[in-house]
Amino acid sequence: MTTVLITGAAGFVGSAVHRQLRGDSAELRLLVHRRPPEEDSGARLVPGDLTRPDTLRGLCEGVDTLVHLACTVDEDDPQACELVNDRGTVALIAEARRAGVRRIVHLSTAAVYGEGPHRGAAENDLVPAPVSAVSRTRLAGEGAVRAARGVVLRPMFVYGPGDRWLIPQLARTLTALPVSVDGGRARLSLVAVEDLASAIAALARADRAPVPGGEVLHVNHPEPVAVRDLAAALTQHLGVPGPQADISYAQARQLLAGRPRELRHLSLFGQDHHYDSSGVWRRTGHTPGGFAARFAAAAPWYRAHLAPLAPPVAAAAGPSESETP
């Protein structure tokens, strides 16, 4: 029987991947740090801490496939990013190589490409240029995975049930500051969490031919979503106020002068950030759902879990890069 080890199985993406794989014939092992998954699948729970390599020794013995989804996304704590995303990944991959793990699937982020605009770039078209501790350390962790002939997945923005960052923060931002930038024309790569999980699960399964070692794959819906359409969906399904005014990108930069984090968020949502993701769907045979249908299906979860939408304007920064996968 194939044995699959999943890290980050209690998280947003990890719990969706866990659900996808638990019906397979494979034996599942889940690395547990702070909390176990909410759903009991009968998987074997193994303790470990990516910040303490000594706790990872022997973790991968008998494992055929490693699905590494765990990371930290706290851009205010560069040290934690270094310990988990970089050094922790390096230590975990070293254990996988020592144990002879045959297949490694690692979740990173398209935020490693840094500032845009990016329009339809394929995996080899851009040189990564990360601009935060989160993306720098996630890129560094990718290096160990690719050296071990694993596959690296780079989604941009992930949404759906379990998302406590992207849509909630965008909703708070638009509530506090209901304006659009350049008419909301910027287009973004999004992927529903269930579609991302399906791609990860397909690449992890033993009955599928492995992706060529060291390859990077974008994992987003083939069609980007315009920011105005994203905002309209929040208005329709979540009652978020629509824009009351429109300003130019240059005006927005002037308004946010001296606020580097907010300027970073502006660059993410005020400029195109979309990537060619055709390769992953061709390899996995999965057809991702469209944004309108997927968001409508997720709306009840968002309505039940959104915090009160009344932050001070100064705190309304929009979804941060660290809040993407």
Side-chain angles (χ1 to χ4, degrees):
M1 177 183 290
T2 299
T3 299
V4 179
L5 171 63
I6 306 174
T7 73
F12 170 38
V13 176
S15 59
V17 173
H18 178 206
R19 287 191 294 271
Q20 288 275 349
L21 288 173
R22 69 185 178 186
D24 290 2
S25 58
E27 174 193 340
L28 293 184
R29 294 185 195 173
L30 311 180
L31 178 66
V32 176
H33 177 209
R34 293 183 181 141
R35 58 190 170 93
E38 293 181 0
E39 301 177 42
D40 182 8
S41 65
R44 176 183 168 190
L45 306 183
V46 291
D49 184 345
L50 289 173
T51 68
R52 295 179 51 203
D54 59 299
T55 68
L56 305 178
R57 289 181 189 139
L59 181 70
C60 295
E61 293 298 330
V63 170
D64 300 289
T65 299
L66 169 62
V67 180
H68 181 32
L69 310 176
C71 69
T72 186
V73 295
D74 187 353
E75 61 185 16
D76 292 322
D77 194 343
Q79 183 178 18
C81 293
E82 175 75 18
L83 289 173
V84 176
N85 302 342
D86 184 359
R87 297 183 194 177
T89 297
V90 169
L92 178 65
I93 298 304
E95 285 296 320
R97 298 183 80 167
R98 191 158 31 244
V101 173
R102 296 194 296 269
R103 187 179 304 220
I104 299 172
V105 181
H106 173 56
L107 182 64
S108 185
T109 171
V112 299
Y113 295 122
E115 302 290 347
H118 301 145
R119 300 183 177 104
E123 287 84 352
N124 296 317
D125 290 346
L126 298 173
V127 176
V131 297
S132 74
V134 175
S135 56
R136 282 193 297 271
T137 53
R138 294 186 81 175
L139 180 63
E142 286 186 13
V145 175
R146 299 183 72 182
R149 311 294 289 166
V151 60
V152 170
L153 306 181
R154 292 178 182 162
M156 187 60 195
F157 293 115
V158 187
Y159 66 95
D163 165 29
R164 298 182 185 274
W165 303 281
L166 176 66
I167 297 302
Q169 187 62 52
L170 184 56
R172 287 190 290 270
T173 299
L174 293 174
T175 299
L177 195 65
V179 302
S180 59
V181 176
D182 289 334
R185 290 191 298 271
R187 297 192 299 161
L188 309 176
S189 273
L190 277 70
V191 63
V193 66
E194 59 263 48
D195 292 317
L196 175 57
S198 291
I200 293 171
L203 293 169
R205 289 187 174 106
D207 60 352
R208 285 207 172 262
V211 174
E215 189 166 348
V216 171
L217 292 173
H218 294 157
V219 192
N220 302 287
H221 192 278
E223 294 297 326
V225 177
V227 171
R228 62 172 170 262
D229 295 331
L230 177 55
L234 268 65
T235 298
Q236 176 184 354
H237 296 287
L238 307 182
V240 174
Q244 304 301 306
D246 184 66
I247 60 177
S248 70
Y249 186 78
Q251 288 172 320
R253 287 192 60 85
Q254 289 178 344
L255 287 172
L256 297 175
R259 299 163 65 179
R261 178 178 294 186
E262 285 84 350
L263 284 168
R264 171 59 180 154
H265 301 153
L266 174 65
S267 82
L268 285 172
F269 288 91
Q271 299 186 96
D272 289 327
H273 284 85
H274 58 91
Y275 308 90
D276 179 4
S277 299
S278 57
V280 72
W281 308 119
R282 186 168 58 248
R283 289 179 182 278
T284 62
H286 179 71
T287 301
F291 171 73
R294 287 286 197 242
F295 192 83
W301 186 92
Y302 281 119
R303 287 194 292 268
H305 292 83
L306 275 179
L309 300 177
V313 172
S320 73
E321 170 199 277
S322 68
E323 290 160 346
T324 67

